Amino acid sequence: MASNGVNGEIPEDANEHCPGPQSESAGKADACAGCPNQEVCSNAPKDPDPDPDLVSIAERMATVKRKILVLSGKGGVGKSTFSAQLSFALAEADLQVGLLDIDICGPSIPKMLGLEGHDVHQSNLGWSPVYVESNSNLGVMSIGFMLRHPDDAVIWRGPRKNGLIKQFVKDVYWGELDYLVVDAPPGTSDEHISIAHFLKESGIDGAIIVTTPQQVALIDVRKEISFCRKVGIKVLGVVENMSGLKQHLSDLKFSRVSESGFETDVTDWALNLIREKAPELLDTFACSEIFDSSQGGAHKMCLEMGVPFLGKVPMDPQLCRAAEEGRSCFEDKSCNVSALALKGIIEKLIALE
């Protein structure tokens, strides 16, 4: 423990959510209760010298112009899809982009970038990111590249997660980057505390928070905003994802449901009737609210919390398909509903710089 107290490393037998031996709250925080190192940490002098790891990370990050976190209060709101498509869009604008996946227990970024099955390689400069075949401007790093099988579960406590995230920011050689996009897991857990700490010296340009419109999701977004304020991360804005279903009428399925609950597909009949009676409808979009937004959604919450609202992205089956296939939604017109919304949000982000 003595050596860990000197270099600031979190001991392997520390409690979950350990603030670190060099923290002012070491041995005093609620997370320290019952830890075998509690007394040593609380009495140990705090080293006034800068943490050498943070200095090394700052040197590694010196070639990265902008570092952006993508956060969410809850899972299942499309945060990683947004991170992937944001990275695609920036790279397609001839910018050098890195996408760092720190969702240690649920790494979905490799699939969403079409990179499943790739491995991490090491050079004399450090770990090399995995690059997207269709766009060499976009490099990716994720624990997903290190798993023997994509179905393998990662069952790690805080200190081990903390160690891998440190390796990601200290040992990965990104080269010259315009943007490093960091895709974090939902909530405010060890991964968030770690990335905020490790990038403290080099600085984080801000965070984008992705949510859905209903209050159940927004409750946790408020906590996410509070977290950012406590650790000194600027909130660049909030994105309301899955903001209503929107798709071409001709792509809809139609059915009849009997009183007994038996369902019959009548899609062909319905579309033929529309072609015969009102063909102009086939060029329109069908819209429906999936989540309750009657209380104002993310836009109202942003006004109340004093943070920017970046815009809405509709639930688009074509965007979901692009994510499943690991490709950019901007490469063709099939995702035009969601792609236009995403493009407007990304233009706002670039204008904030």
Side-chain angles (χ1 to χ4, degrees):
M1 175 60 197
S3 61
N4 284 338
V6 172
N7 61 23
E9 293 283 349
I10 295 177
E12 290 189 3
D13 59 348
N15 285 357
E16 195 170 2
H17 306 303
C18 170
Q22 290 300 314
S23 169
E24 290 299 321
S25 61
K28 304 169 187 174
D30 291 343
C32 300
C35 177
N37 310 293
Q38 184 175 12
E39 185 176 351
V40 175
C41 287
S42 61
N43 295 324
K46 302 299 179 280
D47 189 353
D49 296 328
D51 186 330
D53 282 331
L54 296 187
V55 174
S56 297
I57 291 167
E59 290 172 354
R60 177 70 88 179
M61 289 289 139
T63 59
V64 179
K65 293 180 181 177
R66 305 170 189 88
K67 296 175 284 296
I68 295 176
L69 306 186
V70 181
L71 311 174
S72 67
K74 285 191 180 298
V77 300
K79 168 191 57 63
S80 293
T81 299
F82 178 83
S83 294
Q85 297 303 325
L86 168 63
S87 301
F88 274 130
L90 293 171
E92 289 166 15
D94 291 327
L95 296 168
Q96 297 295 325
V97 183
L99 175 52
L100 175 58
D101 180 7
I102 64 166
D103 193 342
I104 306 300
C105 295
S108 54
I109 288 297
K111 179 172 181 59
M112 292 185 175
L113 274 291
L115 296 174
E116 281 187 304
H118 287 256
D119 298 317
V120 174
H121 299 284
Q122 191 159 5
S123 69
N124 60 334
L125 296 173
W127 290 357
S128 299
V130 177
Y131 287 89
V132 175
E133 291 181 9
S134 60
N135 196 322
S136 60
N137 291 4
L138 176 53
V140 183
M141 181 55 66
S142 169
I143 191 177
F145 300 134
M146 304 174 185
L147 302 178
R148 292 182 180 178
H149 190 278
D151 293 340
D152 288 347
V154 179
I155 309 172
W156 288 3
R157 291 186 181 274
R160 198 169 178 192
K161 293 179 183 178
N162 181 77
L164 181 61
I165 292 171
K166 183 172 73 174
Q167 280 190 281
F168 279 162
V169 293
K170 183 182 176 184
D171 296 338
V172 175
Y173 179 69
W174 296 100
E176 298 281 342
L177 286 185
D178 294 297
Y179 285 90
L180 177 64
V181 178
V182 181
D183 185 65
T188 53
S189 56
D190 291 307
E191 292 89 338
H192 305 77
I193 298 168
S194 295
I195 198 69
H197 173 68
F198 291 136
L199 296 182
K200 180 172 63 175
E201 295 295 327
S202 60
I204 297 172
D205 291 270
I208 303 165
I209 303 174
V210 181
T211 185
T212 43
Q214 76 275 31
Q215 289 299 310
V216 145
L218 295 175
I219 287 170
D220 289 331
V221 172
R222 293 174 184 270
K223 296 181 178 70
E224 204 79 35
I225 293 170
S226 176
F227 167 82
C228 289
R229 288 172 173 166
K230 285 181 178 179
V231 298
I233 297 174
K234 180 181 179 181
V235 177
L236 298 175
V238 175
V239 174
E240 184 177 286
N241 198 25
M242 305 186 197
S243 186
L245 173 67
K246 184 180 289 187
Q247 65 182 124
H248 275 289
L249 185 70
S250 57
D251 291 334
L252 291 175
K253 299 289 185 183
F254 297 83
S255 64
R256 281 200 181 103
V257 181
S258 68
E259 291 183 2
S260 61
F262 181 77
E263 186 173 351
T264 305
D265 187 300
V266 294
T267 301
D268 290 340
W269 169 82
L271 290 178
N272 287 333
L273 185 63
I274 292 170
R275 290 188 189 99
E276 179 185 346
K277 302 294 185 181
E280 62 275 13
L281 288 178
L282 295 175
D283 293 327
T284 64
F285 288 92
C287 307
S288 177
E289 291 294 324
I290 303 298
F291 300 105
D292 178 30
S293 59
S294 60
Q295 297 188 50
H299 184 257
K300 183 181 178 184
M301 184 216 64
C302 286
L303 293 174
E304 295 170 349
M305 298 288 288
V307 297
F309 178 65
L310 294 175
K312 301 180 179 182
V313 180
M315 182 180 285
D316 178 3
Q318 295 299 328
L319 174 60
C320 298
R321 183 172 299 167
E324 286 288 311
E325 295 174 356
R327 59 181 174 83
S328 168
C329 72
F330 304 100
E331 66 182 21
D332 57 44
K333 294 184 178 180
S334 64
C335 300
N336 58 346
V337 171
S338 52
L340 285 173
L342 285 165
K343 184 179 179 181
I345 289 169
I346 292 164
E347 287 174 350
K348 287 182 183 179
L349 282 173
I350 294 175
L352 290 174
E353 301 299 334

